Amino acid sequence: MKQTDSDDVFKITLRNDYAFKKVFGTEENKTVLQDFLDCVLDIPSKDIEDLELLDKEFHNDSVNDKTGILDVKLRLKDGTVIDIEIQNRWNDEFTQRTVFYWAKMYTENLQKGEVYTKLPKCITINIVGEGFKLNGLLHSEYRVLEKHLHTELSDELEIHFLNLAKAKEKQSAGTEPDEKTQRLVKWLKFIETDDKEVRAMLADNSPVMEQANETVDIMLQDPKQRWLYENRMKYEHDKASWEHFGYTKGLEKGAYQKSLETAAKMKSMNYPFDDIHKITGLSEEEIEKL
């Protein structure tokens, strides 16, 4: 597909949730999603072939207002429900967040009056861009196990983490121990990069990945799609700034509270005002109020 000069400047990465959903969450790209899932899940390929996308539309309240989560939701033919989400940066509450959303997905499938055995298996797949802290694995999978025997209580809770930073470290996908892992490394590299030449190289000899690459090329040439992409990217940058500001303000608040506590203790021990001021940095008015 012909590239324009502006394409050389404008770069797309599938770490952007809008771009990710365009490639993996649309009806015309179901074969792309099937191939990706086949690399991640310990499920026979034939059970992934007839997957049903549960939210394949791009709603204005999710894209334009920048508040929605553009995850990919699907159901397999055996009833298993899967949710795939891109998380650009790890944060300390993400573990609780992913368990919460898994629980919500699990319980919302039980209709009033139905027995609990009707609940479907639910799988969450989190693709993490930066700062993953739980372990050093490329692909980690969490389930509910007995602490001493390591036997599984139920296979209905399944939470996966895919570490893009770990995939980026790998020089070659061909060094992995099995073909399935080699394909997964290629997909994660494809998702992580914003270099069209790298994507083209990864897609070489893979018709499915070439199809994904064609979708990215179309995005590059469509002004509306590029605007939506940038809209989501701006939201990610803004969110990171808000989180950093909140963290900084929290540190400032904590430090100020500590200064007040120190000043109050020093005042109760009859320390001179000048000493309290020098040590805590509090003003005369603040110290007098204690």
Side-chain angles (χ1 to χ4, degrees):
M1 185 173 288
K2 185 179 179 181
Q3 303 290 318
T4 65
D5 292 338
S6 61
D7 294 339
D8 295 328
V9 178
F10 190 87
K11 294 186 175 183
I12 283 181
T13 172
L14 301 191
R15 285 180 280 112
N16 174 286
D17 55 1
Y18 173 76
F20 182 84
K21 188 159 186 174
K22 287 295 291 186
V23 171
F24 291 97
T26 57
E27 197 68 32
E28 59 269 24
N29 278 352
K30 279 174 66 172
T31 54
V32 173
L33 178 59
Q34 289 162 357
D35 191 81
F36 175 72
L37 289 174
D38 186 49
C39 300
V40 178
L41 303 175
D42 188 20
I43 293 176
S45 299
K46 61 182 178 62
D47 294 340
I48 300 174
E49 290 174 358
D50 297 324
L51 66 85
E52 173 195 1
L53 288 167
L54 299 179
D55 185 9
K56 52 196 172 188
E57 302 299 329
F58 288 83
H59 304 292
N60 287 336
D61 61 349
S62 293
V63 182
N64 294 341
D65 293 342
K66 303 175 292 185
T67 56
I69 298 173
L70 293 179
D71 48 359
V72 174
K73 297 179 181 178
L74 61 127
R75 182 185 290 115
L76 302 182
K77 63 181 179 181
D78 68 354
T80 298
V81 179
I82 301 173
D83 185 270
I84 310 171
E85 182 184 345
I86 283 280
Q87 177 75 7
N88 250 312
R89 297 173 185 82
W90 183 265
N91 60 60
D92 292 336
E93 65 176 18
F94 191 70
T95 301
Q96 290 72 27
R97 179 176 176 274
T98 193
V99 173
F100 174 80
Y101 279 109
W102 174 91
K104 185 173 182 292
M105 179 171 63
Y106 185 59
T107 56
E108 69 185 9
N109 285 283
L110 187 68
Q111 303 300 315
K112 186 175 181 180
E114 285 187 333
V115 296
Y116 293 118
T117 53
K118 293 287 186 180
L119 283 165
K121 178 175 181 175
C122 290
I123 300 173
T124 296
I125 301 173
N126 301 292
I127 305 173
V128 184
E130 300 173 4
F132 181 65
K133 295 181 179 179
L134 296 183
N135 57 60
L137 299 176
L138 173 79
H139 175 199
S140 49
E141 177 182 342
Y142 289 86
R143 299 189 179 206
V144 180
L145 303 176
E146 202 286 325
K147 180 178 179 180
H148 306 285
L149 301 175
H150 303 290
T151 53
E152 192 170 61
L153 175 66
S154 169
D155 69 349
E156 293 174 341
L157 170 61
E158 189 172 315
I159 297 177
H160 296 253
F161 294 96
L162 302 173
N163 188 345
L164 293 183
K166 195 72 176 179
K168 189 178 180 180
E169 292 173 5
K170 295 182 178 293
Q171 297 300 313
S172 172
T175 60
E176 298 307 312
D178 59 86
E179 183 267 343
K180 199 170 185 176
T181 308
Q182 290 173 22
R183 286 166 52 215
L184 177 60
V185 170
K186 287 185 69 175
W187 271 122
L188 296 183
K189 284 176 172 287
F190 188 91
I191 292 167
E192 193 280 332
T193 190
D194 64 359
D195 189 324
K196 65 181 181 181
E197 298 299 331
V198 172
R199 277 195 300 268
M201 180 185 66
L202 290 167
D204 191 34
N205 297 321
S206 171
V208 177
M209 198 169 283
E210 178 58 36
Q211 180 180 342
N213 207 21
E214 283 289 318
T215 302
V216 177
D217 286 344
I218 291 171
M219 289 180 63
L220 279 168
Q221 297 189 31
D222 186 324
K224 182 178 179 181
Q225 290 194 39
R226 285 169 60 149
W227 180 83
L228 291 169
Y229 173 92
E230 288 187 304
N231 207 33
R232 292 297 293 187
M233 192 63 81
K234 181 178 182 299
Y235 170 65
E236 284 294 325
H237 290 317
D238 289 347
K239 186 171 68 170
S241 297
W242 299 332
E243 289 171 353
H244 177 72
F245 177 76
Y247 174 72
T248 303
K249 296 302 288 184
L251 289 179
E252 292 173 355
K253 184 178 180 181
Y256 180 67
Q257 186 62 38
K258 188 69 175 177
S259 295
L260 290 175
E261 293 171 0
T262 300
K265 188 171 183 179
M266 293 178 72
K267 191 174 180 181
S268 69
M269 297 172 68
N270 297 317
Y271 274 75
F273 166 80
D274 286 345
D275 289 348
I276 300 175
H277 170 68
K278 287 177 182 178
I279 291 172
T280 64
L282 297 177
S283 67
E284 181 178 357
E285 183 181 359
E286 288 170 320
I287 294 171
E288 286 179 350
K289 287 181 179 179
L290 295 173

